[in-house]
Amino acid sequence: MRVVAVPFEQLDARTAYDVWRLRQAVFVVEQECPYPDLDGRDTEPGTRHVLLQEGDVLLGYARVLDDGSTWRIGRVVLAADARGRGLADQLVRTALSVCPGRDVVLDAQSPLAGWYASFGFAVDGPEFVEDGIPHVPMRRRT
């Protein structure tokens, strides 16, 4: 098992395909949220792709965006057969390790707010619904 955070330029074609396939399988198909996953931010210079891999198999993923005054963590996802093993903790810890010197923000699905709180995040605004799923904005202060 390995977890790495890399810029877009370090994703080989197969890994990039696996990332987009996993995000589509979970967010678009499983959660039934048809949205433009390929939003143009994957290739930004400050973006880091957090990959959780076992051998050649991508089990999990998270994306860290450089939003200027803050870092933004999003697209946190595990393959269905990798859930329930604590692997998402490794994704978030690695994502946080590449977020120096600034607050980190994210929009958590509301049932996961307590889990994100275990990493130092606190709710930072009112609940909202995105793609039919309740979310809360959260912030981890430096």
Side-chain angles (χ1 to χ4, degrees), residues 68-71 96-104 140-142:
S69 61
T70 60
W71 298 103
L96 288 170
S97 76
V98 296
C99 296
R102 294 184 246 155
D103 288 3
V104 182
R140 183 178 192 254
R141 299 196 183 278
T142 53

Side-chain angles (χ1 to χ4, degrees), residues 16-130:
Y17 175 83
D18 289 346
V19 164
W20 296 322
R21 184 181 60 185
L22 177 60
R23 291 181 351 193
Q24 175 183 284
V26 174
F27 299 129
V28 177
V29 177
E30 181 182 325
Q31 295 182 357
E32 300 178 357
C33 300
Y35 72 102
D37 179 52
L38 299 179
D39 59 3
R41 301 217 55 197
D42 287 326
T43 61
E44 291 178 358
T47 297
R48 293 298 173 264
H49 300 273
V50 182
L51 310 167
L52 172 69
Q53 298 169 306
E54 190 168 52
D56 291 337
V57 178
L58 181 69
L59 297 179
Y61 173 85
R63 182 172 78 172
V64 177
L65 301 174
D66 182 347
D67 277 353
S69 61
T70 60
W71 298 103
R72 175 170 295 280
I73 295 175
R75 306 287 203 271
V76 179
V77 61
L78 285 177
D81 59 352
R83 296 177 195 157
R85 299 173 20 201
L87 299 176
D89 291 357
Q90 295 177 49
L91 281 173
V92 173
R93 281 194 296 272
T94 301
L96 288 170
S97 76
V98 296
C99 296
R102 294 184 246 155
D103 288 3
V104 182
V105 297
L106 55 81
D107 293 331
Q109 292 185 3
S110 295
L112 298 175
W115 177 67
Y116 283 112
S118 72
F119 297 98
F121 286 91
V123 174
D124 192 41
E127 185 176 65
F128 63 95
V129 176
E130 183 174 11

